[in-house]
């Protein structure tokens, strides 16, 4: 059976290297409108048009090239991602040769992380904890799917909206999130969003989906993670064998706790996420 593959540029003992860089992060690439704006009462039609494509995504497979930095490390890698409703995720990191660097399989917040080159497995961590370490953001699989496909949150539901000038529209969503839309040739398109310390910018739309996403996590005092994900080979609503999301742990794999895994990667509890680099 063919399973989704993930290609990640990796090196060193278990494919996780931190490259120390100067402290500090870049500022956001987009300037959002400020001020209170003007109330926009008839926003539902505009909102429905903007979320029409991303809200209909059941499955998605894609290649994702990530570049960026955390507080003290650079991030660079290429991955292939498979996601399926309601909350399934599979990431598989392949080295230039030999076994995968890791395989992450998750259903909702339950996850298994396989480290084939170490014959180790992590089973005591949630998908959001592992995604924070591996991808730099703490999200469930359904959150991850919504973020990558342009909706920002699963099943976005609008509460109130404002207009800023002729082109900008801000729509507050249920669940403490906000979408920002702009009109392009009269068609409303999601260009940015904010949710719980996460800021996302959507760029380079093709066939109704963004192909470049700028992501920042905002801490109490500064930007903590700043990365850009470029998406390619995107397949929407294709059939994915559900067995691709069932962990197959070899009998010779030794369990590893999340704390052990964090220690191997050099990440103390509460530290910023990391990524493999060549």
């Amino acid at each position: 059976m063919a399973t989704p593959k993930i290609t990640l540029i990796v090196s060193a003992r278990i494919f996780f290297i931190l490259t120390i860089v100067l402290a500090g992060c870049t500022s956001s690439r987009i300037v959002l409108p400020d001020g209170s704006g003007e109330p926009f009462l008839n926003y539902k039609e505009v909102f429905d048009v903007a979320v029409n494509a991303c809200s209909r995504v059941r499955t998605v497979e894609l290649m994702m090239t990530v570049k960026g930095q955390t507080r003290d490390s650079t991030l660079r890698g290429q991955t292939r991602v498979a996601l399926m409703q309601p909350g399934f995720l599979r990431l598989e990191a392949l080295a230039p040769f030999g076994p995968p660097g890791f395989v992450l399989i998750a259903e909702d917040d339950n996850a298994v992380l396989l480290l084939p080159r170490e014959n180790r497995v992590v089973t005591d961590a949630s998908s959001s904890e592992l995604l924070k370490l591996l991808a730099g953001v703490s999200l469930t699989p359904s959150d991850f799917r919504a973020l990558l496909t342009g909706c920002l949150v699963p099943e976005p539901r609008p509460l109130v909206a404002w207009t800023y000038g002729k082109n900008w529209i801000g729509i507050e969503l249920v669940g403490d999130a906000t979408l920002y839309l702009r009109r392009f040739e009269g068609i409303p398109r999601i260009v940015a969003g904010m949710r719980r310390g996460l800021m996302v910018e959507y760029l380079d739309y093709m066939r109704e989906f963004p192909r470049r996403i700028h992501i920042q996590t905002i801490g109490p005092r500064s930007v903590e993670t700043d990365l850009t994900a470029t998406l390619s080979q995107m397949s929407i609503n294709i059939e994915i064998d559900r067995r691709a999301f069932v962990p197959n742990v070899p009998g010779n794999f030794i369990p590893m706790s999340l704390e052990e895994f964090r220690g191997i990667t050099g990440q103390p509890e509460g530290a910023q996420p990391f990524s493999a680099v060549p």
Side-chain angles (χ1 to χ4, degrees):
M1 176 196 69
T3 57
K5 296 179 179 179
I6 308 285
T7 302
L8 175 61
I9 301 174
V10 289
S11 61
R13 186 169 179 268
I14 64 165
F15 302 86
F16 303 119
I17 295 181
L18 295 178
T19 301
I20 303 302
V21 298
L22 294 177
C25 295
T26 61
S27 61
S28 172
R29 294 176 176 84
I30 190 171
V31 178
L32 298 177
D34 56 10
S36 58
E38 296 292 329
F40 182 26
L41 301 180
N42 301 318
Y43 61 84
K44 189 174 187 310
E45 182 179 354
V46 170
F47 173 80
D48 289 344
V49 171
V51 303
N52 177 60
C54 60
S55 64
R56 292 186 289 108
V57 174
R58 297 179 293 101
T59 68
V60 58
E61 286 187 348
L62 57 87
M63 293 292 297
M64 179 171 67
T65 301
V66 176
K67 295 182 180 180
Q69 65 184 56
T70 66
R71 183 180 301 167
D72 59 359
S73 63
T74 58
L75 297 86
R76 182 166 69 248
Q78 188 179 48
T79 73
R80 189 172 178 93
V81 182
L83 296 140
M84 183 171 70
Q85 283 188 341
F88 294 96
L89 164 70
R90 182 184 180 104
L91 304 178
E92 188 172 325
L94 298 184
F97 56 88
F102 70 79
V103 179
L104 173 64
I105 300 173
E107 179 179 357
D108 296 324
D109 220 21
N110 300 313
V112 172
L113 178 67
L114 300 166
L115 304 172
R117 294 195 172 231
E118 298 293 306
N119 290 346
R120 304 297 296 270
V121 58
V122 180
T123 60
D124 70 338
S126 67
S127 59
S128 53
E129 287 173 321
L130 289 170
L131 278 173
K132 182 174 182 180
L133 283 173
L134 296 171
V137 289
S138 179
L139 298 170
T140 66
S142 58
D143 290 331
F144 199 48
R145 186 185 71 250
L147 186 149
L148 289 184
T149 54
C151 268
L152 184 68
V153 298
E155 301 180 6
R157 291 178 289 163
L159 287 174
V160 64
W162 302 267
T163 59
Y164 303 88
K166 294 182 179 179
N167 291 321
W168 281 96
I169 301 170
I171 301 180
E172 183 179 341
L173 306 178
V174 174
D176 192 24
T178 303
L179 287 177
Y180 291 91
L181 283 58
R182 293 193 69 183
R183 298 181 188 272
F184 295 88
E185 298 181 352
I187 300 175
R189 177 171 291 168
I190 298 169
V191 295
M194 297 189 70
R195 54 164 295 183
R196 302 177 208 152
L198 186 70
M199 180 173 175
V200 182
E201 181 182 2
Y202 293 108
L203 303 154
D204 300 345
Y205 271 78
M206 183 184 300
R207 296 180 182 176
E208 301 184 289
F209 294 97
R211 299 308 170 101
R212 185 159 54 94
I213 303 174
H214 177 217
I215 303 168
Q216 289 184 329
T217 60
I218 313 298
R221 298 180 181 178
S222 64
V223 174
E224 296 181 343
T225 298
D226 187 315
L227 60 88
T228 298
T230 301
L231 313 182
S232 61
Q233 301 180 35
M234 180 181 287
S235 298
I236 301 293
N237 292 337
I238 62 172
E239 292 299 321
I240 300 178
D241 192 329
R242 186 162 177 166
R243 289 176 294 178
F245 303 102
V246 177
N248 181 17
V249 182
N252 65 333
F253 273 39
I254 301 171
M256 173 188 288
S257 70
L258 177 64
E259 293 308 311
E260 288 179 291
F261 179 61
R262 186 178 277 121
I264 288 176
T265 62
Q267 294 290 308
E269 185 175 0
Q272 296 308 303
F274 66 92
S275 176
V277 299

